[in-house]
Amino acid sequence: MSSKPIAVIAHRGACGYLPEHTLAAKALAFAMGADFLEQDVVATRDDELVVLHDVHLDRVSDVAEVFPGRARSDGRYYVRDFDLGELRRLRASERFDETGHAVYPGRYPVLSGEFRFHTLEEELTLVSELNTATGRATGIYPEIKRPAWHRDEGIDIAPRLLSLLESFGYSGRDSRVYVQCFDLTELERIRRNLGSTLKLVQLIGDNSWHESASDYNELQSAESLSRLAALVDGIGPWLPQCFHLRDGSPRPSGLVAAAQRAGLVVHPYTVRSDSLPDGFRSHDELVYFCVARLGVDGLFTDFPDLTRRALQTM
């Protein structure tokens, strides 16, 4: 097995235990020893950058109760339709589905507690102060969500994000930050037009998700990975893209190895002990496979403590 360090990336914080993208979940992930904390970045009506996984609010808050009638024609409540003061009135919740049931039933109860939404600046301040207090150097891993959609809504997130990161000292390739996005065109723009030297990661999803106009099937080819390596520093593939089942047992798909041959680091998402992929019987078995068989460079995980512990026993 490789002795290289494996980055533990807290996916939306320690969201296996506390509601995703709350400051409490981030502080817990820090305490659990995560190497990086993830921030998904969306914009409010008054152009504040806030930390939420989606451009929608209705599956992670009590917005329908607090602001009835503010949904768009599709029935969804959009972050962009609320100013920061209004968002602060909402309770942030464990994720639930359209029926009101928890997506992960064993986690923190839905709409319980007094968790709130926060700005990206507030989270960066928390990380900075925790690093200062502990002497650690925990990094950050922001994602620009739906950049083309946001521009259609009248705001360009990338320049604002880069400016804010620079104000916190994240200014070059040696900074403890990866900027990720599903949109290849946006990453090209960040590197070539906005001139950022920060480490960039191309997220790879499934085309059916419609995350962007990027063709994620094409991005997994050896030729595309070689071209990507001239632009970005790594890829963040969906974990099922990294292996396939043969007779019920997982086998490497070849994506991780091909990306690394091209010079890219590979950080798949997402390790969840309460939602294991087919072919795996335990969280530790999944982590072992990712490290020993796939050779990944890092893992997004909802359970930073369990992933850290599994790595330490290898």
Side-chain angles (χ1 to χ4, degrees):
M1 187 186 308
S2 173
S3 60
K4 68 182 179 183
I6 308 299
V8 175
I9 306 158
H11 181 245
R12 312 181 203 174
C15 67
Y17 303 101
L18 291 170
E20 64 183 54
H21 282 320
T22 58
L23 289 179
K26 300 304 173 65
L28 181 58
F30 187 99
M32 289 175 168
D35 297 301
F36 290 88
L37 306 181
E38 183 194 35
Q39 302 81 28
D40 292 314
V41 182
V42 299
T44 64
R45 182 170 58 187
D46 49 348
D47 294 344
E48 292 282 352
L49 299 186
V50 292
V51 182
L52 284 106
H53 179 259
D54 303 314
V55 297
H56 308 112
L57 287 162
D58 40 287
R59 305 289 167 79
V60 290
S61 79
D62 58 352
V63 64
E65 176 184 336
V66 178
F67 295 106
R70 294 276 293 273
R72 294 193 183 185
S73 59
D74 60 1
R76 304 301 302 271
Y77 290 77
Y78 286 76
V79 178
R80 186 65 175 156
D81 295 335
F82 297 84
D83 61 38
L84 179 60
E86 290 174 324
L87 254 64
R88 293 199 192 279
R89 292 174 55 188
L90 303 178
R91 284 190 296 157
S93 172
E94 175 63 37
R95 181 168 293 272
F96 51 89
D97 61 22
E98 63 276 6
T99 69
H101 293 96
V103 173
Y104 302 102
R107 299 189 182 184
Y108 205 91
V110 166
L111 288 172
S112 180
E114 291 296 324
F115 302 99
R116 303 289 169 174
F117 297 116
H118 60 275
T119 66
L120 177 60
E121 182 174 6
E122 287 166 337
E123 181 159 333
L124 296 183
T125 298
L126 174 69
V127 175
S128 175
E129 292 177 347
L130 285 172
N131 278 334
T132 297
T134 61
R136 287 169 50 189
T138 297
I140 60 169
Y141 215 121
E143 178 188 344
I144 299 173
K145 301 296 291 189
R146 304 289 180 96
W149 181 90
H150 272 99
R151 281 194 293 276
D152 287 343
E153 292 283 322
I155 184 169
D156 189 359
I157 287 183
R160 293 169 183 265
L161 171 66
L162 295 176
S163 177
L164 182 59
L165 292 180
E166 186 171 8
S167 73
F168 277 84
Y170 301 104
S171 57
R173 293 193 58 76
D174 294 333
S175 299
R176 291 279 289 170
V177 56
Y178 287 93
V179 175
Q180 57 180 336
C181 192
F182 279 101
D183 191 327
L184 174 59
T185 300
E186 189 72 358
L187 291 172
E188 291 175 331
R189 176 171 169 260
I190 289 170
R191 182 70 85 215
R192 293 171 178 160
N193 298 99
L194 300 181
S196 176
T197 60
L198 297 176
K199 294 184 287 292
L200 303 180
V201 168
Q202 171 68 55
L203 292 171
I204 300 178
D206 189 276
N207 284 341
S208 66
W209 301 349
H210 304 295
E211 283 287 343
S212 75
S214 303
D215 184 341
Y216 301 117
N217 293 332
E218 171 61 25
L219 285 177
Q220 295 176 62
S221 70
E223 295 77 13
S224 290
L225 293 169
S226 294
R227 289 193 295 269
L228 275 176
L231 176 75
V232 303
D233 301 272
I235 62 169
W238 184 35
L239 193 53
Q241 295 166 332
C242 299
F243 67 91
H244 54 256
L245 295 180
R246 184 183 302 164
D247 298 326
S249 297
R251 300 285 189 272
S253 67
L255 174 60
V256 174
Q260 290 172 335
R261 283 195 298 271
L264 298 163
V265 298
V266 182
H267 297 159
Y269 62 91
T270 308
V271 173
R272 296 182 172 105
S273 66
D274 54 357
S275 183
L276 295 168
D278 290 341
F280 297 94
R281 295 165 295 180
S282 71
H283 168 276
D284 286 7
E285 183 180 301
L286 175 58
V287 173
Y288 183 86
F289 177 83
C290 289
V291 175
R293 295 292 306 280
L294 297 180
V296 302
D297 301 285
L299 287 168
F300 281 87
T301 176
D302 288 4
F303 298 86
D305 58 335
L306 300 184
T307 301
R308 173 68 68 202
R309 185 183 69 190
L311 290 171
Q312 290 172 342
T313 60
M314 293 181 186

XYZ file of all heavy atoms in Angstrom, residues 269-300:
256
model
N -15.788 11.444 -4.185
C -16.865 11.728 -3.236
C -17.961 10.680 -3.400
O -18.170 10.179 -4.492
C -17.430 13.140 -3.470
C -18.054 13.347 -4.835
C -19.422 13.118 -5.058
C -17.276 13.742 -5.932
C -19.995 13.296 -6.310
C -17.851 13.921 -7.186
C -19.197 13.695 -7.366
O -19.770 13.863 -8.605
N -18.642 10.242 -2.340
C -18.529 10.601 -0.942
C -18.557 9.300 -0.125
O -19.398 8.438 -0.386
C -19.696 11.479 -0.485
O -19.858 12.603 -1.340
C -19.507 11.947 0.948
N -17.673 9.198 0.869
C -17.678 8.049 1.769
C -18.708 8.294 2.868
O -18.603 9.254 3.623
C -16.276 7.821 2.374
C -16.317 6.729 3.438
C -15.276 7.472 1.283
N -19.696 7.410 2.936
C -20.756 7.511 3.948
C -20.928 6.143 4.613
O -21.277 5.169 3.926
C -22.077 7.935 3.317
C -22.088 9.320 2.695
C -23.473 9.652 2.150
N -23.560 11.041 1.728
C -23.552 11.435 0.450
N -23.453 10.531 -0.528
N -23.657 12.714 0.145
N -20.732 6.075 5.896
C -20.869 4.791 6.577
C -22.306 4.313 6.606
O -22.568 3.108 6.742
C -20.329 4.888 8.014
O -21.126 5.761 8.793
N -23.260 5.231 6.462
C -24.676 4.861 6.495
C -25.298 4.783 5.101
O -26.515 4.679 4.968
C -25.469 5.833 7.368
C -25.296 7.291 6.978
O -24.504 7.576 6.052
O -25.942 8.150 7.607
N -24.474 4.816 4.061
C -24.972 4.667 2.688
C -23.840 4.112 1.837
O -23.278 4.801 0.982
C -25.462 6.015 2.140
O -26.007 5.871 0.847
N -23.516 2.846 2.074
C -22.385 2.220 1.405
C -22.751 1.826 -0.023
O -23.874 1.399 -0.290
C -21.939 0.976 2.174
C -21.366 1.202 3.571
C -21.252 -0.124 4.310
C -20.006 1.897 3.485
N -21.808 1.949 -0.954
C -22.070 1.470 -2.315
C -22.231 -0.048 -2.323
O -21.723 -0.747 -1.436
C -20.809 1.886 -3.089
C -20.081 2.857 -2.213
C -20.463 2.536 -0.819
N -22.905 -0.549 -3.330
C -23.003 -1.994 -3.497
C -21.607 -2.604 -3.583
O -20.704 -2.035 -4.217
C -23.784 -2.332 -4.767
C -25.261 -1.989 -4.663
O -25.742 -1.829 -3.523
O -25.909 -1.868 -5.722
N -21.431 -3.753 -2.959
C -20.147 -4.444 -2.990
C -19.306 -4.232 -1.760
O -18.239 -4.861 -1.627
N -19.771 -3.358 -0.841
C -19.000 -3.082 0.374
C -19.845 -3.364 1.607
O -21.024 -3.002 1.659
C -18.505 -1.635 0.375
C -17.558 -1.327 -0.742
C -18.025 -0.782 -1.922
C -16.209 -1.612 -0.621
C -17.166 -0.515 -2.975
C -15.334 -1.346 -1.666
C -15.820 -0.790 -2.846
N -19.222 -3.979 2.614
C -19.946 -4.374 3.822
C -19.743 -3.410 4.973
O -20.489 -3.456 5.955
C -19.508 -5.775 4.258
C -19.859 -6.881 3.271
C -19.107 -8.154 3.564
N -17.664 -7.966 3.376
C -16.760 -8.928 3.557
N -17.148 -10.133 3.937
N -15.480 -8.683 3.359
N -18.718 -2.554 4.892
C -18.450 -1.646 5.997
C -17.725 -0.409 5.494
O -17.141 -0.400 4.394
C -17.582 -2.326 7.061
O -16.247 -2.507 6.590
N -17.775 0.615 6.308
C -17.057 1.858 6.012
C -15.562 1.591 5.855
O -14.926 2.060 4.896
C -17.312 2.855 7.149
C -16.430 4.063 7.125
N -15.167 4.080 7.676
C -16.613 5.308 6.606
C -14.630 5.254 7.508
N -15.477 6.024 6.862
N -14.979 0.811 6.777
C -13.538 0.563 6.726
C -13.143 -0.214 5.475
O -12.083 0.029 4.891
C -13.090 -0.196 7.981
C -13.069 0.689 9.220
O -13.535 1.854 9.140
O -12.608 0.230 10.282
N -13.997 -1.132 5.057
C -13.720 -1.888 3.829
C -13.696 -0.960 2.627
O -12.843 -1.090 1.739
C -14.777 -2.973 3.649
C -14.553 -3.872 2.445
C -15.630 -4.931 2.323
O -15.793 -5.734 3.260
O -16.319 -4.924 1.277
N -14.612 -0.001 2.601
C -14.652 0.967 1.508
C -13.406 1.838 1.503
O -12.789 2.064 0.451
C -15.914 1.830 1.626
C -16.063 2.977 0.630
C -16.031 2.468 -0.812
C -17.347 3.759 0.894
N -13.016 2.346 2.661
C -11.816 3.186 2.746
C -10.581 2.395 2.319
O -9.736 2.894 1.560
C -11.647 3.758 4.167
C -10.309 4.483 4.302
C -12.793 4.710 4.495
N -10.471 1.159 2.796
C -9.324 0.326 2.434
C -9.265 0.131 0.923
O -8.191 0.249 0.317
C -9.409 -1.028 3.142
C -8.215 -1.912 2.871
C -7.062 -1.821 3.647
C -8.220 -2.817 1.810
C -5.952 -2.612 3.380
C -7.120 -3.608 1.523
C -5.991 -3.502 2.322
O -4.895 -4.283 2.049
N -10.395 -0.156 0.305
C -10.422 -0.350 -1.145
C -9.977 0.915 -1.872
O -9.188 0.863 -2.826
C -11.831 -0.748 -1.583
C -11.986 -0.899 -3.070
C -11.628 -2.074 -3.708
C -12.491 0.147 -3.839
C -11.763 -2.214 -5.088
C -12.627 0.028 -5.212
C -12.262 -1.159 -5.842
N -10.492 2.070 -1.423
C -10.143 3.337 -2.068
C -8.653 3.626 -1.999
O -8.055 4.138 -2.954
C -10.926 4.482 -1.426
S -12.688 4.486 -1.807
N -8.043 3.273 -0.867
C -6.622 3.565 -0.673
C -5.737 2.477 -1.280
O -4.820 2.754 -2.060
C -6.317 3.744 0.823
C -4.821 3.937 1.053
C -7.087 4.938 1.382
N -6.014 1.213 -0.923
C -5.131 0.121 -1.319
C -5.324 -0.313 -2.768
O -4.361 -0.669 -3.452
C -5.344 -1.072 -0.386
N -6.568 -0.293 -3.260
C -6.828 -0.789 -4.604
C -6.900 0.345 -5.620
O -6.406 0.211 -6.731
C -8.139 -1.584 -4.623
C -8.107 -2.855 -3.782
C -7.173 -3.908 -4.372
N -7.501 -4.201 -5.765
C -8.487 -5.007 -6.159
N -9.253 -5.606 -5.252
N -8.705 -5.231 -7.433
N -7.537 1.453 -5.245
C -7.655 2.560 -6.182
C -6.458 3.496 -6.128
O -6.083 4.099 -7.137
C -8.935 3.355 -5.907
C -10.259 2.626 -6.072
C -11.420 3.570 -5.762
C -10.405 2.054 -7.476
N -5.890 3.669 -4.956
C -4.746 4.564 -4.812
C -5.107 6.034 -4.809
O -4.334 6.880 -5.275
N -6.279 6.375 -4.260
C -6.722 7.764 -4.267
C -5.787 8.645 -3.439
O -5.027 8.160 -2.593
C -8.162 7.886 -3.734
C -9.113 7.037 -4.553
C -8.243 7.502 -2.252
N -5.876 9.949 -3.680
C -5.053 10.923 -2.954
C -5.809 11.563 -1.791
O -5.206 12.217 -0.938
C -4.583 12.012 -3.911
C -3.769 11.433 -5.055
O -2.605 11.075 -4.830
O -4.319 11.318 -6.169
N -7.115 11.402 -1.771
C -7.932 11.959 -0.705
C -9.352 11.459 -0.860
O -9.727 10.910 -1.902
N -10.159 11.659 0.192
C -11.545 11.193 0.185
C -12.459 12.241 0.790
O -12.171 12.765 1.878
C -11.674 9.895 0.993
C -11.102 8.625 0.373
C -11.041 7.514 1.419
C -11.932 8.185 -0.830
N -13.538 12.540 0.097
C -14.615 13.307 0.706
C -15.415 12.347 1.587
O -15.791 11.258 1.141
C -15.531 13.899 -0.370
C -14.991 15.126 -1.033
C -14.149 15.026 -2.132
C -15.329 16.387 -0.563
C -13.649 16.151 -2.741
C -14.841 17.529 -1.171
C -13.997 17.413 -2.262
